[in-house]
Amino acid sequence: APHALGIWLGQQVLDDGQPPPPTDFASVMNTVLQSLDLSSLIDSTTPVASSAGYDVYITSINAGNSAVTLSAIDGGLAIRASLTGITGGLRFDCTTFGCELLGGDSSGGFSISSVVIDANVIPTVTPSNTLAVSLTNVSTSVTGLDVSSNNGFTNFLLSIIEVFISDSLAADLESTLNSTLAGQL
């Protein structure tokens, strides 16, 4: 194409597999992921689960480590972003008379071994000649969820509630990471 410029980048530029300092795009993206404020993911006034007479609220969330890998695919990049060592606080709000009799409101916490998001990053050029990035084929997996309460009866119910917390938290993390990674790329 007349008046055009093409740049070909090898895998070493995308992700050389080496730890920081940043010498590739994956290291730069990992820095972005590490600076993500996970507390912005939660609304402590909206329950993540309502089950067995309790509304469950996430009150805090923190991550230990992060990692990003990038590889070239036809038409874009494949990205894997992971957060490990996630911990947080929970509030169990009793909503029925029955749970009031069994101890009422309580608090607790949760830990997640890892949240891994895989996606394809597809860059395009808009009609106004600006770069747009979209994420496709996004999948999120949450492993090692453990939820606890300071109330013995609530602990008994946690096997029911854990699924709702896991699904909600995964959806919130996926949405935030998708918009953050697409915007930064």
Side-chain angles (χ1 to χ4, degrees):
H3 309 291
L5 174 67
I7 299 173
W8 284 261
L9 304 174
Q11 183 62 38
Q12 291 294 94
V13 174
L14 298 176
D15 188 351
D16 61 11
Q18 300 298 315
T23 58
D24 57 19
F25 289 147
S27 295
V28 172
M29 288 309 302
N30 192 40
T31 301
V32 170
L33 190 59
Q34 287 172 344
S35 68
L36 182 65
D37 179 16
L38 291 181
S39 63
S40 68
L41 300 177
I42 63 169
D43 176 2
S44 61
T45 63
T46 303
V48 295
S50 294
S51 184
Y54 288 93
D55 285 342
V56 182
Y57 300 85
I58 296 176
T59 58
S60 64
I61 185 170
N62 299 294
N65 295 306
S66 65
V68 174
T69 60
L70 292 172
S71 58
I73 60 170
D74 190 22
L77 299 170
I79 186 168
R80 172 170 276 192
S82 63
L83 296 170
T84 58
I86 300 169
T87 58
L90 296 172
R91 180 171 57 91
F92 299 93
D93 182 28
C94 182
T95 59
T96 65
F97 181 70
C99 74
E100 287 290 345
L101 291 174
L102 296 168
D105 296 347
S106 61
S107 60
F110 68 94
S111 63
I112 299 172
S113 298
S114 69
V115 174
V116 178
I117 297 179
D118 290 299
N120 294 336
V121 180
I122 309 299
T124 56
V125 177
T126 67
S128 61
N129 296 320
T130 59
L131 184 63
V133 176
S134 62
L135 295 179
T136 62
N137 301 322
V138 178
S139 69
T140 303
S141 64
V142 176
T143 57
L145 174 65
D146 183 38
V147 180
S148 62
S149 168
N150 63 7
N151 176 317
F153 180 72
T154 307
N155 271 332
F156 171 73
L157 297 174
L158 287 180
S159 62
I160 300 169
I161 297 171
E162 275 184 342
V163 173
F164 296 106
I165 294 170
S166 177
D167 290 349
S168 176
L169 191 58
D172 290 347
L173 284 169
E174 180 178 310
S175 174
T176 299
L177 290 175
N178 287 355
S179 61
T180 299
L181 293 175
Q184 294 299 320
L185 281 172

